[in-house]
Every structure is written in structure tokens, then in C-alpha cells.
């Protein structure tokens, strides 16, 4: 009777602890004739079977092993100035330096700022909000960054830009990669990245998103410019769906948003549409379909999707 009582208590103990081992793939069972001293071994083996964390494929390589400059930040609104080895054009302004800020910002004109305190962006600064939030109040993490002027990173950037913006025929000559990671045990609870890319007269930037834990206070992602119409907020960053950013895109690559940051004529990209008949431009239903095709192509070329193309009827009045 005493042995049966001990076994019952041990089974209860296992059933309580078992669900906390989320990565376990081995289930422990206890038969009536199992020696007591052997019952703990299977759970130890099961805990060692957890799969290692891997970086999402859309991310450019990062971290100390890649030669990045790294900063470990603990509850601090730190910003880090970076002198650029090649000028970067951001919607009409050319910069030779920038600031990587702990709260998810990459800025060209300000050294630091707290979490999103105005929405939508109001044209006060030139910046990219990778995922803007007051992380310093809740999370510790690591900022890492590096710039490249040769090597395989430039080859990958060239391939990515020509994939996302097929009419450009682009060749990268400079790349800057900045990565934010928060709560690193056992893997980043929040992970995102900004990649600046330039070559010739072209400038681009990518925003890559991985997992995102719960965030406190306001959240925003997008970019803004000084006194300019060039600004964009990713809808899922402000409507409560920020944890789903890793599944959103404007270039048909889940987790990635890509933009051209030139200004003026450099932003004009030619495209072609095949119309089956003149009715495509005169009948209402056909015209709506054509306008949607135009919008899809513009978004795929890097234009923010926050716009609508509408038809307008003009009536000619005889004098």
C-alpha cells in the first residue's frame, strides 16, 4: 500500500511539471513495476531534444560573429551615431551619418526620442521607424550594425532589389544593416531589422520582421520625412496586429517591406499593361480592374499601399 501511494504521488508530480517543458518531445510514463530510482531519466533526455532557434531567411546576417558593432542595452534610451562610408539619400536629403536608437528608430536628424508620441508622423524629422516603442521601460536587448562596400552582402542586396524592383537594373555598392533584438533567452522575443542599400543614383531600404512579443504602450512602423509628402505607416503596426508583421509585406515576401528612398524623377518607374479592348478604359467594371492592376504594380515597386486610384469624369462644356 505504501508503494502504491508513493507511485500515485510521483505520477501527480510528473503531470504537474510536464506541461511546462514546451520543447519536450518524449513523454514519460510510469508502469506499476518500474523502479522508483529510474523514473527521472526520460524527462532529462526529453529536455535536451529542443530544436535550436534559426534566423528567418529574409534577414541579412548579423551579430558579433559577423563582425557587427554591438551594444547591450539595459532599460536605457541609448542612441549610437554612425559615420557612413558612403552618402545615403533619403527622399531628397543626402546624409553622411545616422543614429541607431534603442527604441526601434533609425534617424538622420535627431539623436534620441521616446516612444511614438505623434501619429501619424508629422514631418518633423527624417527617420525610419523599424518598430517604434518604449522598449527601455520593459525590455533589455542588443543593437548591432555594420556597413559593407564589398563582398557577398552586396551581391545579396543587388539580387533583392532587382527582385523587388524589376525595372531598375540595379547594382549595390553600399549596404548598412541594423538589427534589434530583445529578450535573448532562449531566442529573441522581438526581432526586426533595417537594411539601407545604395548604388549609382538609387537608394532603397528594407524592413525585415521576425517574431514580436507583446508590446506595451503605442507601436508604429514606417518612415517620415521633413516637410514632405513622403511618409508611410504600416497599417498592422498601429491597428493592434503588430505581432503579425512577420506575415505582412508590400513585395510578396512575408515579413519584408521594401521602399525606394530617392525623390523626384528617380522614383518614376515605367510599367506596361495589356488592354484587350478600348472597353477596358470606358466600361466601369473593366476600368476598376485596370486601376487595381496599376496600384498593385506601384506597390510592388516600393510605393506605400496607403493610397487609392480613382476614376474622374470630366464633362466638356461648349463655350
Amino acid at each position: 500500500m505504501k508503494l502504491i501511494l508513493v507511485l500515485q504521488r510521483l505520477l501527480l508530480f510528473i503531470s504537474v511539471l510536464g506541461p511546462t517543458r514546451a520543447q519536450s518531445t518524449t513523454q514519460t510514463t510510469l508502469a506499476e513495476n518500474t523502479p522508483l530510482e529510474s523514473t527521472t531519466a526520460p524527462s532529462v533526455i526529453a529536455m535536451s531534444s529542443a530544436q535550436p532557434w534559426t534566423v528567418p531567411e529574409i534577414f541579412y546576417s548579423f551579430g558579433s560573429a559577423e563582425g557587427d558593432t554591438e551594444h547591450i542595452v539595459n532599460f536605457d534610451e541609448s542612441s549610437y551615431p554612425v559615420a557612413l562610408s558612403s552618402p545615403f539619400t533619403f527622399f531628397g536629403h543626402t546624409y553622411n551619418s545616422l543614429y541607431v536608437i534603442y527604441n526601434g528608430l533609425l534617424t538622420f536628424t535627431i539623436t534620441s526620442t521616446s516612444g511614438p508620441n505623434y501619429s501619424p508622423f508629422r514631418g518633423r524629422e527624417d527617420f525610419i521607424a523599424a518598430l517604434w516603442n518604449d522598449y527601455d521601460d520593459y525590455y533589455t536587448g542588443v543593437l548591432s550594425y555594420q556597413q559593407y562596400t564589398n563582398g557577398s552582402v552586396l551581391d545579396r542586396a543587388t539580387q533583392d532589389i532587382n527582385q523587388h524592383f524589376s525595372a531598375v537594373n540595379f547594382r549595390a555598392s553600399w549596404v548598412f544593416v541594423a538589427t534589434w533584438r530583445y529578450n535573448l533567452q532562449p531566442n529573441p522575443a522581438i526581432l526586426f531589422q533595417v537594411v539601407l542599400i545604395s548604388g549609382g543614383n538609387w537608394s532603397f531600404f528594407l524592413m525585415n520582421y521576425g517574431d514580436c512579443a507583446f508590446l506595451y504602450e503605442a507601436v508604429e512602423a514606417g518612415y517620415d520625412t521633413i516637410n514632405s509628402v513622403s511618409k508611410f505607416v504600416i497599417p498592422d503596426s498601429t491597428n493592434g496586429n503588430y505581432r503579425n508583421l512577420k506575415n505582412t509585406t508590400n513585395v510578396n515576401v512575408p515579413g519584408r517591406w521594401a521602399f525606394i528612398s530617392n525623390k523626384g524623377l528617380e522614383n518614376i518607374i515605367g510599367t506596361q499593361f495589356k488592354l484587350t479592348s478600348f472597353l477596358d478604359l470606358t466600361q466601369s467594371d473593366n476600368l476598376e480592374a485596370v486601376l487595381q492592376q496599376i496600384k498593385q504594380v506601384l506597390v510592388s515597386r516600393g510605393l506605400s499601399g496607403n493610397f487609392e486610384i480613382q476614376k474622374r469624369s470630366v464633362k466638356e462644356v461648349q463655350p
Side-chain angles (χ1 to χ4, degrees), residues 146-316:
Q146 184 174 177
Q147 49 190 323
Y148 303 84
T149 56
N150 55 62
S152 61
V153 173
L154 267 65
D155 294 334
R156 178 178 180 181
T158 297
Q159 179 179 348
D160 284 343
I161 295 304
N162 285 311
Q163 174 187 345
H164 304 326
F165 308 92
S166 58
V168 172
N169 192 24
F170 174 76
R171 180 68 191 173
S173 60
W174 176 84
V175 175
F176 177 81
V177 181
T179 308
W180 289 257
R181 292 170 282 164
Y182 303 96
N183 281 21
L184 302 186
Q185 296 180 356
N187 54 61
I190 303 172
L191 174 68
F192 54 89
Q193 183 179 76
V194 170
V195 183
L196 307 183
I197 303 170
S198 66
N201 295 320
W202 294 95
S203 297
F204 305 86
F205 62 94
L206 312 177
M207 302 164 70
N208 297 325
Y209 294 96
D211 289 333
C212 185
F214 177 78
L215 293 173
Y216 302 88
E217 302 181 13
V219 181
E220 287 185 7
Y223 62 86
D224 198 10
T225 56
I226 300 174
N227 299 324
S228 168
V229 297
S230 299
K231 60 190 67 180
F232 177 62
V233 177
I234 297 177
D236 275 337
S237 70
T238 57
N239 62 9
N241 294 327
Y242 58 86
R243 302 185 71 175
N244 190 50
L245 284 173
K246 66 180 181 180
N247 298 314
T248 66
T249 182
N250 68 334
V251 288
N252 200 32
V253 177
R256 170 171 292 173
W257 290 73
F259 302 96
I260 302 174
S261 61
N262 295 78
K263 182 178 180 180
L265 296 178
E266 294 90 348
N267 264 345
I268 299 177
I269 300 177
T271 185
Q272 295 181 351
F273 296 92
K274 183 177 181 181
L275 304 178
T276 57
S277 71
F278 182 69
L279 294 178
D280 286 343
L281 296 178
T282 56
Q283 290 191 352
S284 177
D285 291 344
N286 292 3
L287 180 56
E288 289 294 338
V290 171
L291 294 180
Q292 287 303 311
Q293 292 180 46
I294 294 173
K295 178 177 179 178
Q296 290 174 9
V297 171
L298 291 175
V299 170
S300 73
R301 298 297 192 270
L303 188 65
S304 72
N306 192 25
F307 70 93
E308 293 292 336
I309 301 178
Q310 298 180 348
K311 61 182 179 180
R312 180 181 179 186
S313 300
V314 177
K315 182 178 180 180
E316 182 177 354

Side-chain angles (χ1 to χ4, degrees), residues 4-237:
I4 293 175
L5 179 61
V6 171
L7 289 176
Q8 288 176 339
R9 290 179 178 175
L10 184 57
L11 282 170
L12 178 61
F13 183 71
I14 292 173
S15 66
V16 171
L17 291 184
T20 64
R21 294 179 170 89
Q23 301 298 326
S24 175
T25 58
T26 301
Q27 183 176 358
T28 301
T29 59
L30 182 61
E32 291 184 3
N33 60 353
T34 302
L36 292 179
E37 59 269 18
S38 67
T39 58
T40 57
S43 62
V44 174
I45 296 173
M47 290 183 67
S48 66
S49 63
Q51 295 298 317
W53 179 77
T54 58
V55 180
E57 292 184 358
I58 61 170
F59 276 69
Y60 283 56
S61 298
F62 60 86
S64 58
E66 300 297 329
D68 283 9
T69 298
E70 286 197 334
H71 299 280
I72 300 175
V73 186
N74 296 294
F75 306 105
D76 183 12
E77 290 184 8
S78 300
S79 64
Y80 302 94
V82 180
L84 304 182
S85 60
S86 177
F88 183 76
T89 300
F90 189 72
F91 296 101
H93 298 140
T94 300
Y95 294 99
N96 294 297
S97 62
L98 54 78
Y99 300 89
V100 182
I101 303 180
Y102 181 67
N103 58 7
L105 285 174
L106 190 155
T107 78
F108 299 95
T109 55
I110 52 177
T111 59
S112 65
T113 181
S114 60
N117 49 23
Y118 53 90
S119 176
F121 307 137
R122 297 178 181 174
R124 297 174 180 174
E125 295 93 17
D126 282 343
F127 65 80
I128 299 170
L131 193 61
W132 191 6
N133 184 259
D134 266 333
Y135 299 103
D136 57 282
D137 293 336
Y138 309 101
Y139 293 106
T140 62
V142 176
L143 298 182
S144 61
Y145 50 83
Q146 184 174 177
Q147 49 190 323
Y148 303 84
T149 56
N150 55 62
S152 61
V153 173
L154 267 65
D155 294 334
R156 178 178 180 181
T158 297
Q159 179 179 348
D160 284 343
I161 295 304
N162 285 311
Q163 174 187 345
H164 304 326
F165 308 92
S166 58
V168 172
N169 192 24
F170 174 76
R171 180 68 191 173
S173 60
W174 176 84
V175 175
F176 177 81
V177 181
T179 308
W180 289 257
R181 292 170 282 164
Y182 303 96
N183 281 21
L184 302 186
Q185 296 180 356
N187 54 61
I190 303 172
L191 174 68
F192 54 89
Q193 183 179 76
V194 170
V195 183
L196 307 183
I197 303 170
S198 66
N201 295 320
W202 294 95
S203 297
F204 305 86
F205 62 94
L206 312 177
M207 302 164 70
N208 297 325
Y209 294 96
D211 289 333
C212 185
F214 177 78
L215 293 173
Y216 302 88
E217 302 181 13
V219 181
E220 287 185 7
Y223 62 86
D224 198 10
T225 56
I226 300 174
N227 299 324
S228 168
V229 297
S230 299
K231 60 190 67 180
F232 177 62
V233 177
I234 297 177
D236 275 337
S237 70

